[in-house]
Amino acid sequence: MLSNIKACVLHGLEGYQIDVETDLTNGLPVFNIVGLPDASIKESKDRVRSAIANSDYEFPLSRITVNLSPASIKKEGSQLDLPIALGVLSATGVIDFPSDNICFIGELSLDGSIKRIEGALPMVISLRSFGVKTVFIPKDNQLECSYVKDMTIYPASSLKEVVEHLNKKRIINPLIVRTFNQESDEARYDVDFQDVKGQEAIKRAVEIAAAGSHNILIIGSPGTGKTMIAKRIPTILPYPTFEEALEITKIYSVAGMNLSNGLMMQRPFRSPHHTLSMTAMTGGGRVPKPGEISLANYGVLFLDELPEFSKSVLEVLRQPIEDGVVNISRASGTFQYPSKFMLVASMNPCPCGYYGDPKHECKCSMSQIENYLNKISGPLLDRIDIVIEASSVYYDDLNSKKPSESSSQIRERVNKARLIQKYRYQDLNIFSNSELNARQIKKYCQMNNDGEELLKMAYNKMSLSVRGYNKIIKVARTIADLDHSDDILAKHVAEAIQYRSMDKKYWR
């Protein structure tokens, strides 16, 4: 007897529909699974056997062959347990499927219960694009899938429950599609810019970076508030749109890190330790998973003490920063993960941390300082839009009675600037000034004559690269947006140049 059950496997963030073909023939009772299964799928035959028996169904004493079609695609993951078990029961006549347009995903326990799986959301979204109208998922994955429209999704808790539903003995209630409401789902943060005393110049630079999604490097002595400010950047970023929240949740679902098991409403803030490997940064592994740069997608990747990171780890950032995606090639195939993150980095000006500090004496030699700074390559530094210096904080700043601006006040200005960019680029596939290419810069970054003369002078005097020249224009465009100016004026260019000149102080 032959049966065919629809299932799904993941390749990166994309799901692929496959057919689980089950055939029962006479012969010695053997259970074979073919079609390029990985180890977890090969082990599923033991879980399926116990789950069927413990769900009060008879496991057939026949030669069972399960083919995962198409056989050319490598299959990974335990989510094929449920379709394999249903294939065996269908082949024995226990289930009569009313339609072929049904898909099943879920891992089975030995007692027949269905366990939560990784990557349920991207699987369901991919199946929808293939025209699948009905899908059964584990009940523990229902929250993250509850925003998917135009599908009937049944959350199931056990194999027996699915069988009885298919046999119309006990119907499972489908998921009620939830409506995305940004107002009620706003992220709440435990930190606020109101806590930061002084450092008005850095706050201004961070506001510009957030308004245009620009990469920023903060240089300063220990204790000047670099890390404190960086951790508060997500509090001034616009709340994610539905599409962005869905993309963020897909990545964390595949990585098995969606602990809330719902739609992720906070922009990610990733702060990896400097000892991480290239694979941890970019993604990959035997079973490829997203790395830190993908987990920071639509959010912030904070690299504290930048020179302490391995040079090879820092250099792999160059291509993802430019392209917004990272491509990983492995023997099992090529995977692509999104990496549209805002890079925020901090560092000391020298090994001891006190070079140029008016309060402390630097004990480093010039060669030590040069070797320390040279850990940051020119090409990587060229991809950072804003470089700002954190000055020492004085007692009067800490004891000031003047209230600091709150994150909500700064976010309000950032949101207005982002709305201007959204309207300006509505016909393009970009959402912020940092994404502009050379042709788009010419079209959307018009400046007056004084601004052009100032930029020409800076280009020649500072020996800027073409990328550095374009970075100044894009930052100036963001400053003009914060100023609600259609044209880029000389004062906007001057401030943007200031954020490129700071790196010349350290990297001559």
Side-chain angles (χ1 to χ4, degrees):
M1 188 110 181
L2 181 67
S3 71
N4 190 335
I5 308 294
K6 305 294 181 183
C8 186
V9 294
L10 277 178
H11 187 83
L13 289 182
E14 298 298 321
Y16 292 89
Q17 183 178 334
I18 66 166
D19 293 328
V20 178
E21 301 171 340
T22 307
D23 184 39
L24 271 60
T25 57
N26 295 327
L28 292 174
V30 179
F31 197 162
N32 292 320
I33 300 176
V34 297
L36 287 182
D38 73 342
S40 63
I41 298 175
K42 289 178 180 177
E43 292 172 352
S44 69
K45 56 187 178 184
D46 295 316
R47 293 192 295 271
V48 166
R49 189 192 306 272
S50 297
I52 290 176
N54 290 323
S55 298
D56 300 326
Y57 300 109
E58 185 177 350
F59 190 84
L61 296 175
S62 306
R63 183 179 183 86
I64 303 172
T65 304
V66 175
N67 177 44
L68 309 177
S69 176
S72 57
I73 299 176
K74 186 173 178 61
K75 289 83 177 178
E76 297 172 339
S78 58
Q79 75 277 358
L80 296 183
D81 287 3
L82 179 59
I84 290 173
L86 293 174
V88 173
L89 293 175
S90 178
T92 57
V94 174
I95 306 169
D96 184 23
F97 282 94
S99 170
D100 292 333
N101 202 17
I102 303 177
C103 195
F104 302 86
I105 54 176
E107 177 185 335
L108 291 175
S109 292
L110 298 184
D111 62 355
S113 60
I114 301 175
K115 300 177 67 176
R116 183 180 184 276
I117 62 168
E118 297 176 359
L121 179 60
M123 286 185 198
V124 171
I125 293 174
S126 298
L127 289 171
R128 182 181 62 179
S129 67
F130 292 132
V132 174
K133 297 298 182 182
T134 305
V135 61
F136 285 77
I137 64 168
K139 194 168 186 177
D140 290 340
N141 289 107
Q142 62 180 333
L143 282 179
E144 66 179 288
C145 297
S146 60
Y147 288 90
V148 181
K149 301 177 182 178
D150 303 323
M151 289 186 81
T152 303
I153 303 174
Y154 292 104
S157 57
S158 68
L159 173 63
K160 191 177 185 68
E161 192 176 36
V162 175
V163 173
E164 290 184 346
H165 175 92
L166 294 172
N167 289 335
K168 298 181 180 178
K169 291 183 178 180
R170 185 176 58 172
I171 302 300
I172 303 172
N173 293 324
L175 278 182
I176 298 174
V177 178
R178 298 176 66 185
T179 303
F180 180 78
N181 189 336
Q182 201 173 51
E183 295 297 324
S184 62
D185 290 334
E186 282 188 356
R188 303 297 177 191
Y189 295 96
D190 297 327
V191 293
D192 196 283
F193 265 96
Q194 208 163 24
D195 307 327
V196 181
K197 301 296 183 181
Q199 301 295 13
E200 298 303 324
I202 301 182
K203 290 180 185 177
R204 169 65 177 173
V206 163
E207 180 181 334
I208 294 167
S213 193
H214 299 289
N215 301 323
I216 182 171
L217 171 61
I218 305 172
I219 306 173
S221 302
T224 52
K226 304 186 297 294
T227 303
M228 183 182 187
I229 290 172
K231 288 182 176 179
R232 283 157 176 76
I233 290 178
T235 67
I236 65 172
L237 292 174
Y239 292 118
T241 63
F242 175 64
E243 290 75 17
E244 289 174 337
L246 210 58
E247 188 79 12
I248 294 167
T249 309
K250 282 172 62 176
I251 296 169
Y252 277 74
S253 178
V254 169
M257 298 173 63
N258 185 11
L259 301 180
S260 65
N261 197 23
L263 203 64
M264 299 187 66
M265 296 304 304
Q266 285 189 342
R267 290 190 181 272
F269 180 85
R270 302 295 300 177
S271 180
H273 193 262
H274 64 262
T275 56
L276 89 167
S277 64
M278 280 197 299
T279 301
M281 180 66 85
T282 60
R286 188 188 63 81
V287 179
K289 292 290 181 72
E292 290 293 336
I293 58 178
S294 297
L295 293 171
N297 190 49
Y298 292 127
V300 173
L301 176 64
F302 176 49
L303 303 183
D304 199 8
E305 302 300 339
L306 191 63
E308 300 300 329
F309 285 81
S310 160
K311 195 174 183 68
S312 58
V313 170
L314 293 180
E315 292 306 304
V316 299
L317 291 173
R318 288 158 54 178
Q319 179 261 333
I321 288 175
E322 287 289 307
D323 299 340
V325 294
V326 57
N327 296 297
I328 302 168
S329 296
R330 296 290 184 269
S332 57
T334 301
F335 303 83
Q336 186 178 85
Y337 294 113
S339 59
K340 292 183 178 180
F341 58 89
M342 176 181 165
L343 176 63
V344 178
S346 69
M347 60 179 288
N348 295 328
C350 66
C352 78
Y354 295 111
Y355 176 61
D357 191 309
K359 294 183 178 180
H360 300 84
E361 180 184 355
C362 175
K363 299 180 180 179
C364 305
S365 65
M366 288 309 298
S367 62
Q368 287 177 317
I369 295 172
E370 288 178 6
N371 291 336
Y372 182 77
L373 295 174
N374 285 337
K375 292 180 180 180
I376 314 301
S377 69
L380 178 61
L381 194 64
D382 218 23
R383 286 166 169 79
I384 297 176
D385 307 3
I386 297 172
V387 181
I388 186 72
E389 188 173 28
S391 57
S392 298
V393 181
Y394 293 92
Y395 178 81
D396 290 342
D397 294 325
L398 294 175
N399 203 38
S400 174
K401 304 300 182 183
K402 181 182 177 181
S404 300
E405 272 194 311
S406 66
S407 292
S408 59
Q409 290 174 300
I410 302 173
R411 190 196 303 117
E412 187 176 348
R413 296 194 296 268
V414 170
N415 278 335
K416 288 179 180 178
R418 287 286 187 110
L419 285 174
I420 291 172
Q421 295 166 55
K422 183 180 179 181
Y423 177 76
R424 182 189 298 134
Y425 310 130
Q426 59 183 336
D427 297 329
L428 306 173
N429 191 28
I430 61 174
F431 304 96
S432 62
N433 292 326
S434 65
E435 300 176 74
L436 291 171
N437 59 34
R439 182 179 297 177
Q440 293 161 348
I441 286 173
K442 289 183 179 179
K443 182 177 180 180
Y444 296 105
C445 299
Q446 301 296 325
M447 62 181 71
N448 62 8
N449 292 332
D450 292 342
E452 288 185 358
E453 286 298 320
L454 186 59
L455 184 57
K456 179 181 178 181
M457 188 187 306
Y459 182 80
N460 293 325
K461 188 175 181 180
M462 297 169 64
S463 301
L464 293 171
S465 66
V466 176
R467 184 182 285 112
Y469 167 82
N470 288 334
K471 295 287 187 187
I472 288 178
I473 297 176
K474 289 191 279 189
V475 172
R477 176 70 271 173
T478 301
I479 296 170
D481 289 340
L482 284 168
D483 205 22
H484 304 290
S485 173
D486 292 333
D487 293 329
I488 301 174
L489 307 180
K491 64 178 182 179
H492 305 142
V493 177
E495 187 174 1
I497 291 171
Q498 172 191 333
Y499 297 129
R500 289 299 301 183
S501 61
M502 187 57 65
D503 59 343
K504 300 299 178 183
K505 174 180 176 181
Y506 296 97
W507 292 273
R508 295 185 177 88

